[in-house]
Amino acid sequence: LFQRDVERIVNTIFEEIIDAMAAGDRVELRGFGAFSVKQRDARTGRNPRTGEAVEVEEKHVPFFKTGKLLRDRLNGK
């Protein structure tokens, strides 16, 4: 395979993961981990510079949980 072909394949995989997560789906790569989207509720935060209270809107954030195989290999098992 040429570098441009590999790059196209990797970009396609990433785009599919992003599209699935944008639709609210969970993407699992066996042995590696799972990508999902978590919802963070609205809350009152603080401006660290002034200490002033600010309202933080609810938002969705990406979340990655490592798979057992990856965890075990990282920990030398």
Side-chain angles (χ1 to χ4, degrees):
L1 288 174
F2 292 108
Q3 167 122 12
R4 65 179 181 268
D5 296 330
V6 172
E7 188 174 333
R8 190 176 308 132
I9 291 167
V10 171
N11 286 338
T12 301
I13 291 169
F14 284 152
E15 284 298 321
E16 289 298 320
I17 291 172
I18 291 168
D19 290 346
M21 289 176 67
D25 295 333
R26 180 174 180 267
V27 179
E28 182 177 340
L29 303 173
R30 293 273 179 197
F32 184 72
F35 297 93
S36 61
V37 178
K38 289 198 171 197
Q39 180 178 343
R40 294 226 175 123
D41 294 332
R43 62 184 174 83
T44 302
R46 295 249 175 237
N47 180 332
R49 184 170 289 166
T50 65
E52 177 185 354
V54 291
E55 292 302 315
V56 179
E57 297 179 1
E58 85 172 18
K59 59 185 168 184
H60 295 87
V61 293
F63 180 75
F64 177 74
K65 181 176 180 185
T66 57
K68 185 176 184 323
L69 179 63
L70 176 60
R71 259 192 324 271
D72 288 348
R73 292 205 47 198
L74 290 174
N75 291 310
K77 295 182 182 177

